[in-house]
Amino acid sequence: MEEIGKQIGYEAEICGKRLFVCSDAALFSPRGLDAGTAAMLAHIEIAPGMKILDLGCGTGVVGTYAAMCGAEAWLADVDPAAVETAKKTLAANGVSGTVCLSDGFQAIDAAGFDLILSNPPYHTDFAVAKHFIEKGFNRLKLGGRLVMVVKRELWYKNKLEAIFGGVRVAHEAGYAILAAERRQLQYAAKKKKSK
C-alpha cells in the first residue's frame, strides 16, 4: 500500500481506466486489485447510463469503475469500514455513487438494475450467496444480469440456473465468472413443497 495525498491505497488499471483505490487493512484485498474482480470486470461491458450495483463492495473498486464508465453506481456492504472506504474511493476518483450500509439487499430500496456485480464472500453454508442470488433476481430489470466471480463453480451454477433458468460461465485466472440474465418475472424453478 502507498499513501497518495493522505489516502492509503493503490492504483489499478481496469480495462484501460486508471483509478486510485482507497484501502483498509481489515478489508478484502487491501494491497492490490483482486484477480477474481479483475477477471469479472474483463468479462462485462458497462455503458453510460446503466444502473449498476456493486454488491459486497469492499473498497468500492467495482462501483467506482462503473461510475467512471458513466453508470449510475450503487455500492453496498455490511461492513461499516467498507462503506467508508468505498466513499473515499469514489471521491478520490472524482465520481459519485450511492453507498449503502446493508446486509445484502436489506437496506437497498432501489430496483431496476442493469447489472448486479459481486465477488461474494465464501461461506461453507452459502447463505450469503443464496441471499444475493434470490434477492438479486427481483432487483434486476428484465434483461438485467447478475454477474458473480467465484472459485467454487458448481453450487453457484446450479443455484443461478434454478433461479434464472440459465447461466453463462467463463473461466479466467482460476476463477469462474457466472452471468445470469433475468428473462421472466418469476423464478425459473418454483420451490417444491414437502409432503
Side-chain angles (χ1 to χ4, degrees), residues 37-145:
T37 299
M40 177 178 67
L41 291 173
H43 283 267
I44 60 163
E45 288 185 31
I46 298 175
M50 292 177 83
K51 186 175 182 180
I52 299 190
L53 173 61
D54 178 1
L55 185 58
C57 66
T59 60
V61 64
V62 172
T64 299
Y65 170 71
M68 291 174 74
C69 291
E72 176 188 342
W74 288 70
L75 300 83
D77 204 291
V78 70
D79 185 345
V83 168
E84 289 308 309
T85 303
K87 288 177 182 177
K88 291 176 184 175
T89 298
L90 284 163
N93 291 281
V95 293
S96 62
T98 301
V99 187
C100 306
L101 177 64
S102 183
D103 186 356
F105 288 93
Q106 289 178 356
I108 301 170
D109 58 3
F113 290 101
D114 294 286
L115 278 174
I116 296 174
L117 305 170
S118 186
N119 185 345
Y122 300 111
H123 293 282
T124 55
D125 65 2
F126 294 101
V128 172
K130 181 176 183 271
H131 172 80
F132 282 13
I133 293 167
E134 290 177 355
K135 300 301 181 190
F137 176 90
N138 296 317
R139 299 303 182 98
L140 290 165
K141 70 178 192 178
L142 285 176
R145 292 178 299 136

